Amino acid sequence: CRIAMVDQADWHQAFAEVTAAGCRVHVVPNTPDGFYIHEKLLITYAGTGGAQQMMGSQNASYSSLARNRELSIVLTEGEAPSVLASAASTFERDFAKARPWK
C-alpha cells in the first residue's frame, strides 16, 4: 500500500493509522502554489488477472459513498492498458517527488 497526499494536519491521524498498518505515505507540501490531490486512484494487482484500477472523486466515508453524488470508474488492464499505464506513471512520479511522512 502506497499513498501520495497533500500534507495537511487534518490527515495526520489517518496517516498514522495506515502507516501503522504497513502502508507507506508520501506527502507534498500544502502550499498555495503547490497542487492539491483530489482524485482517488486505487490500482490493484490480482495474480494472473492483471491490474485493475478504480479512479474517481469519492472519499472513503459513509457520507461520500452513501449520500453524495460521487463518481468512479473501474478499468482492467485488458480493457484499457494505456489508461492504466498512464495513471500508474503519474502516481509513480508524484510518489517519487513527495517526501515520506514522518
Side-chain angles (χ1 to χ4, degrees), residues 11 40 57-68 70:
W11 287 101
K40 286 67 172 183
S57 63
Q58 76 279 7
N59 295 313
S61 68
Y62 179 80
S63 291
S64 183
L65 298 173
R67 295 188 180 135
N68 296 344
E70 303 284 0

Side-chain angles (χ1 to χ4, degrees), residues 4 11 26 44 65-66 68 82 99:
W11 287 101
H26 282 200
T44 61
L65 298 173
N68 296 344
S82 63
R99 66 171 174 78

Side-chain angles (χ1 to χ4, degrees), residues 38-58:
H38 179 70
E39 174 188 311
K40 286 67 172 183
L41 171 66
L42 175 65
I43 300 175
T44 61
Y45 300 92
T48 60
Q52 76 175 15
Q53 80 174 25
M54 182 182 84
M55 182 170 35
S57 63
Q58 76 279 7

Side-chain angles (χ1 to χ4, degrees), residues 13-94:
Q13 179 63 36
F15 293 166
E17 291 175 16
V18 296
T19 55
C23 293
R24 292 172 43 209
V25 176
H26 282 200
V27 293
V28 296
N30 184 17
T31 61
D33 59 339
F35 65 93
Y36 177 74
I37 300 172
H38 179 70
E39 174 188 311
K40 286 67 172 183
L41 171 66
L42 175 65
I43 300 175
T44 61
Y45 300 92
T48 60
Q52 76 175 15
Q53 80 174 25
M54 182 182 84
M55 182 170 35
S57 63
Q58 76 279 7
N59 295 313
S61 68
Y62 179 80
S63 291
S64 183
L65 298 173
R67 295 188 180 135
N68 296 344
R69 299 269 194 282
E70 303 284 0
L71 176 67
S72 65
I73 186 169
V74 175
L75 299 169
T76 67
E77 196 170 35
E79 295 168 327
S82 63
V83 174
L84 248 70
S86 177
S89 176
T90 298
F91 175 82
E92 293 297 340
R93 278 193 312 274
D94 289 346

